Amino acid sequence: MNITFGVAAVLIGCFTMIGVVSATEPNSNEEKADGRVKKFSIAFVNDIHAQLEPHPELYWNEDEAQRELRAGGLSRIKTAFDQLAADRPDGMLKIDGGDTFQGSGPGAWTEGEVMIRPLNALGLDMAIPGNWSVVYGAERLRAIRDEVNYPIIAANIYDESSGERTFKPTMVKEIGGVKVGLVGFTDPDVPSRQPPFMSEGLKFKADEVLQPLIDDLRQNQKVDIVVLVSHIGLHKAVPLSAKLNGVDIHLSADTHERTYEPIVVGDTWVVEAGAFGSLVGVMDVQVRDGKVVDRKWELVELREDKFPEDKQVKQIVDDALSPHRERMNREIGHTDIWLERYNVMTSSMDRLIANAVKEAADVDVGLSNGYRFSPPTAPGPITEADLWNWLPIKLDLKTGVVKGQQFIDYWESEFENVFSSDPDRLYGGWLARPSTNMQVRFDSTAESGDRLRSLTIDGDDVDPKQDYTIAAGARKGQPENQIHRMQECRTTKTLKKTTHDAVRDHLAKPHDSDHDSEPPVKCVVRGDQLRSQYQTFIKERQKARKQDKLEGESVLPPKK
């Protein structure tokens, strides 16, 4: 068997049940006319990341990119909700998939309070917490839970002292005559993914809590449909769907993936609806005798010309942001290009940040933490609001010394984080972001530990035995000898400068190297643009499967 896509093995053994399919399941005209068929719909948003207002956005179809200056925003979400509901008289659930209160300056400055009134105006039916819901601490998370006018559910978050669940694990909602059971599940790795102090007082359990709850909904509460809403990332949501029994729809969040077509795992449809309030996913479902007989999924882009802002929500947002406008609008620099993060391997936004870190710390290599969030920044002035979108947490700069071999090991670990064949090994989804004077070349299809092809700093090959200085933002609570995900750094030092200081100082000077140089990280077997991690791997695996079938071979794993 000759498969050229080692990375696509993220599908694991459940690949036999997975495929990207057309948005509608076939059904007969008799079923459509059957009076026993009931209908309902779901409108889904996820990973809003405190983006209250319309903002620059990048939409793409395959390699074709289209840029909008004023897409998304809560006011457009409200318009979309209203328009979608008007076309669906049988009823529509409105669901938020988490990571809602963090990701912008006003979100950070008010510990999420700026989001409460605007969100309460959307008419949401339910939400779940995301991995960043702990950013303001456990007490603040409970306060937000009690301030919003819709239920937040999560099956796997517990109070550490009492052992009680912090949120209700499930809820049942009847809509369109269909009894819908909803289960919430957030990332059990929050205590390690986020700085540990953020989740102090909370305990997170893994997915073993889910099946008993699903069984209870089916057997005792007699629901017709089970909807799992999770915040673990698409690459983990798909294999989890293969593991569970009785889930009809799995609404995924965390990885900001845009699933224009559903991923089908047995009887379960798995979807994710992008991020930043720039898109709304809508699922139309038909049910007969407690079984799904038809489903349709559409991912709706909230473009300015298609969805005007709802005036009432716009006013609520304006009122909420009014105390912060002066700070938000303060200009700190200028860009002649679009600064974006929508790339698994490298991004214009993080090149600027990593170069700023290198310059401010006066080290050989700067690293950007490479957050997944932040909508693009369009050409023109760069404001304080943009900076806080890029870096919603202000981190002190930390420097240290490492051997060249540590850099080599670090990059092999990073490649495994992104391209591993084991979904439990995948971490974050995007590669680290170095300053542009470091050039990394790798083969994503090679075996783990053997992907790096070349590594240079300032044009010279990295010497495994040589010392190099590095810097990155320091996460509170991380080991003293750790910088970014680099372990066992020597002579570490925390500076009296932050990542924000570094970027502001950098922007105050003219810099062309941020975008004029070669991308610092390149894969030697694919193009520079990789917008989606997991969905791309699925398509590549399908392509390999079709080719092997033509050659009389099979890429399917042996049946157990």
Side-chain angles (χ1 to χ4, degrees), residues 41-49 52 73-74 76-82 84-85 92-101 115-129 144-145 147-153 171 173 175 182 229 251 277 279-281 302 313:
S41 300
I42 298 171
F44 180 55
V45 293
N46 58 272
D47 295 278
I48 292 174
H49 281 296
L52 287 149
L74 297 195
R76 293 199 206 288
I77 292 176
K78 182 63 164 68
T79 299
F81 279 175
D82 289 348
L84 292 167
M92 185 179 78
L93 290 171
K94 298 180 284 292
I95 296 175
D96 170 39
D99 271 7
T100 309
F101 298 90
M115 300 291 295
I116 300 295
R117 283 192 63 230
L119 284 168
N120 284 345
L122 295 185
L124 289 166
D125 291 288
M126 65 145 288
I128 67 167
I144 288 173
R145 174 199 63 193
E147 288 182 56
V148 295
N149 63 3
Y150 50 88
I152 300 178
I153 68 173
M171 63 178 286
K173 190 93 170 178
I175 185 161
L182 297 138
V229 190
L251 304 176
L279 306 102
V280 171
L302 300 189
V313 174

Side-chain angles (χ1 to χ4, degrees), residues 101-345:
F101 298 90
Q102 172 272 353
S104 72
W109 305 331
T110 65
E111 294 190 335
E113 187 67 29
V114 73
M115 300 291 295
I116 300 295
R117 283 192 63 230
L119 284 168
N120 284 345
L122 295 185
L124 289 166
D125 291 288
M126 65 145 288
I128 67 167
N131 61 292
W132 281 103
S133 294
V134 300
V135 66
Y136 310 124
E139 184 176 346
R140 180 62 187 143
L141 175 59
R142 295 186 189 97
I144 288 173
R145 174 199 63 193
D146 297 337
E147 288 182 56
V148 295
N149 63 3
Y150 50 88
I152 300 178
I153 68 173
N156 64 321
I157 304 179
Y158 294 77
D159 182 90
E160 199 164 39
S161 58
S162 70
E164 298 291 325
R165 280 191 167 103
T166 305
F167 303 91
K168 291 182 179 180
T170 65
M171 63 178 286
V172 176
K173 190 93 170 178
E174 187 164 330
I175 185 161
V178 180
K179 198 172 182 182
V180 182
L182 297 138
V183 186
F185 181 68
T186 200
D187 192 347
D189 296 327
V190 163
S192 58
R193 278 189 68 183
Q194 319 309 128
F197 76 92
M198 291 182 179
S199 57
E200 284 180 3
L202 299 175
K203 182 179 179 181
F204 291 75
K205 293 189 178 180
D207 57 40
E208 70 271 6
V209 303
L210 293 175
Q211 193 62 60
L213 294 169
I214 296 166
D215 293 342
D216 177 69
L217 287 169
R218 289 282 187 189
Q219 297 166 15
N220 300 324
Q221 302 192 55
K222 305 298 181 184
V223 301
D224 299 305
I225 298 295
V226 172
V227 178
L228 173 60
V229 190
S230 77
H231 198 99
I232 56 176
L234 194 62
H235 59 285
K236 292 185 178 179
V238 170
L240 177 60
S241 297
K243 181 179 179 181
L244 297 173
N245 295 314
V247 175
D248 299 286
I249 296 164
H250 189 163
L251 304 176
S252 170
D254 181 52
T255 35
H256 303 186
E257 292 271 12
R258 302 176 182 185
T259 55
Y260 285 91
E261 295 178 325
I263 300 170
V264 178
V265 187
D267 295 326
T268 307
W269 277 25
V270 188
V271 293
E272 196 164 309
F276 313 129
S278 301
L279 306 102
V280 171
V282 60
M283 180 87 73
D284 298 318
V285 187
Q286 295 187 23
V287 179
R288 185 181 65 181
D289 299 331
K291 292 185 178 181
V292 174
V293 295
D294 190 37
R295 277 176 283 198
K296 182 180 179 182
W297 166 257
E298 181 183 3
L299 192 55
V300 180
E301 298 171 347
L302 300 189
R303 295 175 184 257
E304 184 176 16
D305 60 341
K306 298 289 177 64
F307 295 95
E309 294 186 74
D310 179 89
K311 292 181 180 179
Q312 183 179 2
V313 174
K314 183 181 187 307
Q315 185 61 56
I316 293 172
V317 169
D318 285 342
D319 291 345
L321 291 177
S322 177
H324 311 289
R325 286 291 184 195
E326 183 179 354
R327 185 176 182 182
M328 291 170 66
N329 294 338
R330 193 179 303 148
E331 292 188 19
I332 59 173
H334 188 277
T335 178
D336 295 324
I337 66 167
W338 281 73
L339 298 174
E340 297 163 352
R341 265 204 179 120
Y342 297 133
N343 195 347
V344 171
M345 293 183 287

Side-chain angles (χ1 to χ4, degrees), residues 521-540:
V521 181
K522 293 187 72 169
C523 181
V524 298
V525 295
R526 64 166 76 246
D528 289 338
Q529 201 68 262
L530 181 59
R531 302 239 186 248
S532 164
Q533 179 198 23
Y534 193 69
Q535 293 181 91
T536 299
F537 300 163
I538 290 175
K539 291 177 181 179
E540 290 177 346

